[in-house]
Amino acid sequence: SSMAELHVRSVLVTGANRGIGLGLVKHFLQFRNPPERIFAACRDPKGEKAQELQQLASKHPSLVIIQLEVTDPASIQAAAASVTEHLKGSGLNLLINNAGIAKLTFLDTETSQYMSEVYATNTIGPLLVSQAFLPLLKKAAQGSPTSELSCSRAAIINMSSSAGSVEEVYLWDLGQIISYRCSKAALNMLTKCQSLGYREHGILCAALHPGWVQTDMGTSSGLKPPVTMDVSIQGMLKVLCSLSEKDTGTFLNWEGKVVPW
């Protein structure tokens, strides 16, 4: 493939058993210089929904499946301990907080329970996961030959959505999905805060909108999304390659364009 390749020694992707998470894992495996360690984290590694991931792991020794339920602090700690062990003293270059859920609700039918559930996964999850993996990200940043911020050095990438853009309120007519939109708007603020708090440690932080993609979640509206998985992921990987100092704390889409907050 002629596409730009990200040079990372290690990467962890949450929600890696299907959709964009699985797509990212597959692309990393196809690199000419693939990461030495690809950690694919998902809720139920032995379950039916992780079969494709299990098959990939049986063929690729660099792919390690990690059990991780982002709403469970004990699971997060166990995952961080396991990844630390696998890395044998080296750091984690890239954390992609991709695990997310959506409930197809409307303003009139949104409930306290849905709001709490979606926020727990989409906003609190990335906060806690980033906290748990911070020591490994710091270690990667410190061990890097360069002092410039980049995804090759150390980065937290939060998978967001233009649906959470207060200015765009992307696809409102298609679905109100209030809890999802609120959780992503909050995730964007978290990303900005992380960029300010972790800059001194040499860690780049950015929020990424993958586009409206042909995945289980994307097609749950009953309509066919305009962006294929490959186009979205190749685009996002190209964006990750290009991120530098000036991009920390920004919100970009799969084409590298700035998404308004």
Side-chain angles (χ1 to χ4, degrees):
S1 70
S2 61
M3 59 165 293
E5 281 205 8
L6 197 56
H7 293 287
V8 284
R9 284 185 63 187
S10 57
V11 54
L12 184 142
V13 182
T14 67
N17 61 307
R18 57 188 187 152
I20 287 167
L22 181 61
L24 281 163
V25 167
K26 286 178 176 169
H27 274 76
F28 280 123
L29 287 168
Q30 287 160 9
F31 279 7
R32 276 191 309 271
N33 294 318
E36 289 167 29
R37 279 272 177 263
I38 301 166
F39 298 101
C42 63
R43 277 190 289 208
D44 184 12
K46 299 198 165 45
E48 219 169 278
K49 286 179 178 168
Q51 279 179 341
E52 199 176 342
L53 193 54
Q54 293 162 22
Q55 285 161 359
L56 279 174
S58 67
K59 292 187 205 119
H60 298 275
S62 62
L63 177 57
V64 181
I65 304 177
I66 301 284
Q67 195 277 328
L68 176 59
E69 165 54 75
V70 303
T71 61
D72 176 6
S75 168
I76 295 171
Q77 292 309 318
S82 173
V83 169
T84 302
E85 214 169 287
H86 278 283
L87 286 171
K88 299 181 170 64
S90 55
L92 177 70
N93 298 109
L94 181 59
L95 169 62
I96 302 179
N97 285 312
N98 163 76
I101 57 170
K103 305 270 186 195
L104 296 172
T105 52
F106 296 88
L107 203 47
D108 301 345
T109 57
E110 195 59 77
T111 65
S112 164
Q113 189 189 344
Y114 282 159
M115 288 293 281
S116 301
E117 272 179 37
V118 174
Y119 193 83
T121 297
N122 294 4
T123 314
I124 302 173
L127 168 76
L128 299 181
V129 170
S130 299
Q131 285 174 342
F133 286 94
L134 184 61
L136 290 171
L137 290 158
K138 280 182 180 175
K139 190 175 264 187
Q142 285 157 3
S144 167
T146 165
S147 61
E148 291 289 307
L149 294 187
S150 76
C151 285
S152 299
R153 186 184 180 197
I156 297 170
I157 300 299
N158 294 324
M159 205 56 73
S160 187
S161 170
S162 290
S165 160
V166 176
E167 193 170 319
E168 282 191 12
V169 203
Y170 187 54
L171 303 175
W172 171 260
D173 295 332
L174 188 71
Q176 295 184 359
I177 51 171
I178 308 299
S179 49
Y180 181 78
R181 292 181 187 280
C182 292
S183 73
K184 293 300 188 181
L187 178 65
N188 289 345
M189 181 48 127
L190 174 65
T191 307
K192 179 59 91 173
C193 294
Q194 288 176 329
S195 75
L196 296 170
Y198 297 157
R199 186 180 204 134
E200 61 178 307
H201 303 306
I203 301 165
L204 182 146
C205 304
L208 218 47
H209 166 54
W212 181 22
V213 186
Q214 293 166 17
T215 61
D216 289 346
M217 186 188 277
T219 51
S220 56
S221 62
L223 295 169
K224 188 174 181 181
V227 185
T228 65
M229 182 90 85
D230 268 0
V231 165
S232 169
I233 289 172
Q234 290 190 1
M236 288 193 289
L237 288 170
K238 195 174 160 190
V239 171
L240 294 187
C241 281
S242 72
L243 296 182
S244 66
E245 300 276 340
K246 68 181 190 323
D247 303 300
T248 195
T250 58
F251 181 18
L252 303 167
N253 72 9
W254 82 105
E255 295 174 306
K257 298 190 180 109
V258 172
V259 182
W261 296 117

